[in-house]
Amino acid sequence: MKALFKIFSVSLIALLGLSMAYAQEEYQQPVISSPWSADVNKDAPHPEYPRPQMEREGWVNLNGLWDYAILAKGSDMPQNFQGKITVPFPVESQLSGVGKNVGKDNELWYFRKIDINNNQRKGKVLLHFGAVDWEAEVFVNGQSVGSHRGGYDPFYFDISQALKRGKSQEIAVRVWDPSDDGPQPRGKQVKKPHAIWYTPVSGIWQTVWMETVPETFISNLKTTPDFDRNLIKIKPELNGNPTGTKVKVTVLAEGSKVAESTGDLGDELEIPIPNARYWSPESPFLYDLKVELVKGNSTLDQVKSYTALRKISMGYDSNGNQRMLLNNKFVFQYGPLDQGWWPDGLYTAPTEEALVFDIVKTKEMGFNMIRKHVKVEPARWYYHCDKMGMLVWQDMPNGDHGNAWEHRLGIVGKGTERDRTAESEEIFRTEWKSIIDANYNFPSIVVWVPFNEAWGQFKTKEITEWTKKYDPSRLVNSASGGNFIIDGAKITGDMIDLHSYPEAVMPDPGIYGKDNIIVLGEFGGLGLPIENHTWQEKDNWGYQSFKNKKELSDRYAELIETMEKLIPKGLSAAVYTQTTDVEIEINGLMTYDRKVVKFDEKLMNKLHDKLYKIKVNLK
């Protein structure tokens, strides 16, 4: 997000000068914290099962107190440590108990002992990490079991061969994160926070856990709804020696079996659903799945999952404009830009209740969509969106900035593409694929957004076309508010996305609407600082600031009134900036600590309901 237009009193130069206090070794700890900060159990934070799309018994949560050390890059594994860190909170955060900077010249080490009993050794032992920013090497009993690069995707290692005799085992993790000194995806993180750029997030920031699996086990599921044919496609992936085995899938609705299918390994099973029930924001119906690996009459492995019948597509309205369709009907999609930051946990919500709170409040305010902005959430966040019927646009976290961008009111973005190194390109491609793979099964996700505002944007046409081919079940917003690659009037990807602050505007449908879905990818940014609920006492900002809630609400109502007139002309979706205040930004629907909602929820519902009731006829 940027202040893009001259109508703002705050210039970009002035904006960049507003920095929170910064020290080389320690980050300023906030004077505010969320209501859930006091609820964090340091010995067992985030105890919930972390992978709801593929749940099995026989797992152990490894969150809690670990030893840590920050050492010069390239140092040997430490024998002594500097203190305790609460996993999975990033080391810079208040809830980690550390609050220190790491930087490109240092590495962060984690260490803890675990117990593994004889029952857990019957098969393979897998060590899982929800997310570690950015490069991680994992050691078990001093032996390296694998490395991973990528701050936003889950990974695991089979540690069976590294286990020693007896119960007690040792785990160590080495992490290096260059933040904005490296080319890797990093979202809004910078080593010196200022303006719209925030405190770095280094190290483990999602749940660490261990599970025991059979020698041959189900390693992944790929679930694709076929709405028009009322069937669900499921392709299991296996690890081990599957000779003589088959896969059995049972589909359940509210606990009762509605369909079942058995197939050979490697097959994609197509399972017809009788009396199909569909998923939508108004009725988010989910089917439960039981997936079994069977051999004769024996079940070798079993996982629980879920799916939904829903379709996201595009089609023409009666005026010849492309529209975004849900289940073959026009549904105006409207939601906030959601960055998922916390004053006490940074990237990591304090508790499960806190994680769910933002989605609940978004729903209560009458939004039906969330744009998850240059961050990827833990799997449980998407699980709750699935359950509550919240549509999600998922951004790829940006990195490797440097290309130019020009954007003027009502004009699509134009600029240069970043000339990345081969290493930088490979890092992006690898992590983008991993993010899509990890989140493919969540029905709430309906749009992929590879680039935002030309931040590190490169080879746009190639990346967009790869994304569309790799996941044809969703729409692709190639460059939200960014540098569009235009072939005539056709934008690469499915939509043209304009950013405008604060006004609600849209690209000219007469030029772009015949080939592209028209969306307003960011607008609003109306600011209201609430005393005793800001990251710092002064120098906070919004794109347009107000003195009280009434002024704020009245201006918001004006924006909605303007948007009402745009929908019949061709607008299919809009994104309001933003869910909460973040650090020195005070343009949230709620304060950064989530203790104050700045808008009346009933009024918001009334305003938004008018948007959804606008009738658009389809061809």
Side-chain angles (χ1 to χ4, degrees), residues 15 30 47 52 58 76 81-82 122 156 203 218 232 269 294 350 394 468 473 592:
L15 183 66
D76 292 335
F81 292 86
Q82 297 163 2
K122 294 177 181 178
Y156 72 88
I218 301 165
I232 295 168
L269 280 67
V294 296
Q394 180 60 55
K468 284 181 63 62
S473 71
Y592 196 17

Side-chain angles (χ1 to χ4, degrees), residues 208-256:
V208 183
W209 57 291
M210 184 177 67
E211 67 175 338
T212 302
V213 298
E215 289 292 339
T216 300
F217 63 97
I218 301 165
S219 59
N220 190 39
L221 298 175
K222 186 174 183 179
T223 307
T224 307
D226 190 328
F227 178 88
D228 294 325
R229 297 168 63 200
N230 283 337
L231 60 83
I232 295 168
K233 302 176 183 178
I234 299 177
K235 186 172 184 178
E237 295 178 9
L238 306 180
N239 187 298
N241 181 11
T243 303
T245 61
K246 289 184 177 292
V247 175
K248 178 182 176 182
V249 178
T250 305
V251 182
L252 302 102
E254 299 174 330
S256 299

Side-chain angles (χ1 to χ4, degrees), residues 556-566 607 610-611:
Y556 182 82
E558 290 176 1
L559 295 179
I560 298 300
E561 185 177 351
T562 299
M563 194 155 60
E564 284 182 68
K565 301 172 184 176
L566 300 179
L607 291 172
K610 292 189 293 183
L611 303 178

Side-chain angles (χ1 to χ4, degrees), residues 88-155:
F89 299 103
V91 66
E92 296 89 349
S93 73
Q94 180 186 35
L95 288 176
S96 72
V98 180
K100 290 183 179 180
N101 176 33
V102 179
K104 66 179 177 62
D105 297 322
N106 296 316
E107 292 172 331
L108 171 62
W109 284 86
Y110 294 83
F111 177 85
R112 73 165 290 173
K113 292 183 178 180
I114 62 170
D115 286 341
I116 295 181
N117 59 41
N118 289 335
N119 287 333
Q120 292 170 315
R121 292 175 183 263
K122 294 177 181 178
K124 296 181 178 180
V125 179
L126 309 182
L127 181 59
H128 292 262
F129 295 82
V132 182
D133 198 353
W134 173 69
E135 178 184 273
E137 184 176 11
V138 180
F139 302 83
V140 175
N141 298 319
Q143 176 183 333
S144 177
V145 294
S147 297
H148 178 268
R149 298 174 105 191
Y152 300 93
D153 58 300
F155 61 96

Side-chain angles (χ1 to χ4, degrees), residues 564-578:
E564 284 182 68
K565 301 172 184 176
L566 300 179
I567 296 172
K569 296 178 181 179
L571 187 67
S572 279
V575 178
Y576 178 82
T577 300
Q578 62 182 324

Side-chain angles (χ1 to χ4, degrees), residues 225-326:
D226 190 328
F227 178 88
D228 294 325
R229 297 168 63 200
N230 283 337
L231 60 83
I232 295 168
K233 302 176 183 178
I234 299 177
K235 186 172 184 178
E237 295 178 9
L238 306 180
N239 187 298
N241 181 11
T243 303
T245 61
K246 289 184 177 292
V247 175
K248 178 182 176 182
V249 178
T250 305
V251 182
L252 302 102
E254 299 174 330
S256 299
K257 183 172 74 173
V258 297
E260 189 173 273
S261 180
T262 301
D264 294 325
L265 303 180
D267 289 350
E268 180 178 65
L269 280 67
E270 293 192 350
I271 308 175
I273 306 299
N275 304 312
R277 297 171 67 176
Y278 305 124
W279 185 97
S280 69
E282 297 76 24
S283 180
F285 186 82
L286 299 174
Y287 287 97
D288 292 317
L289 301 175
K290 182 171 72 171
V291 183
E292 300 170 89
L293 180 63
V294 296
K295 189 171 185 177
N297 295 322
S298 300
T299 299
L300 304 182
D301 190 22
Q302 176 178 310
V303 296
K304 293 192 297 183
S305 188
Y306 68 90
T307 189
L309 274 172
R310 70 98 183 91
K311 176 184 178 183
I312 186 73
S313 61
M314 56 195 293
Y316 288 106
D317 66 18
S318 58
N319 294 321
N321 292 317
Q322 287 282 6
R323 293 289 187 166
M324 185 153 43
L325 308 180
L326 180 68

Side-chain angles (χ1 to χ4, degrees), residues 460-611:
T460 309
K461 186 176 178 63
E462 180 182 332
I463 296 297
T464 300
E465 290 181 353
W466 176 89
T467 305
K468 284 181 63 62
K469 183 178 179 180
Y470 193 66
D471 182 8
S473 71
R474 292 180 172 93
L475 299 175
V476 178
N477 184 353
S478 67
S480 182
N483 177 20
F484 295 105
I485 307 302
I486 303 174
D487 180 10
K490 179 70 174 77
I491 307 297
T492 186
D494 298 313
M495 54 192 72
I496 181 168
D497 175 328
L498 182 66
H499 290 184
S500 169
Y501 287 102
E503 303 297 337
V505 301
M506 70 178 188
D508 186 343
I511 299 175
Y512 301 106
K514 308 305 177 188
D515 298 296
N516 314 285
I517 299 167
I518 294 177
V519 303
L520 177 56
E522 293 179 24
F523 82 108
L526 306 180
L528 176 64
I530 303 293
E531 190 175 358
N532 299 322
H533 297 277
T534 56
W535 177 257
Q536 59 189 30
E537 290 185 7
K538 59 181 181 179
D539 294 332
N540 298 290
W541 68 275
Y543 291 110
Q544 184 179 5
S545 294
F546 300 88
K547 296 178 181 179
N548 54 60
K549 289 184 178 181
K550 185 180 186 309
E551 287 185 0
L552 178 71
S553 181
D554 289 347
R555 182 68 176 106
Y556 182 82
E558 290 176 1
L559 295 179
I560 298 300
E561 185 177 351
T562 299
M563 194 155 60
E564 284 182 68
K565 301 172 184 176
L566 300 179
I567 296 172
K569 296 178 181 179
L571 187 67
S572 279
V575 178
Y576 178 82
T577 300
Q578 62 182 324
T579 303
T580 72
D581 298 345
V582 183
E583 300 204 352
I584 70 169
E585 291 186 64
I586 44 83
N587 49 26
L589 299 163
M590 298 181 282
T591 55
Y592 196 17
D593 58 13
R594 276 75 167 175
K595 292 179 180 178
V596 179
V597 179
K598 301 180 189 180
F599 293 85
D600 180 83
E601 286 101 321
K602 291 182 179 178
L603 174 61
M604 295 287 272
N605 262 284
K606 186 177 179 180
L607 291 172
H608 300 161
D609 191 53
K610 292 189 293 183
L611 303 178

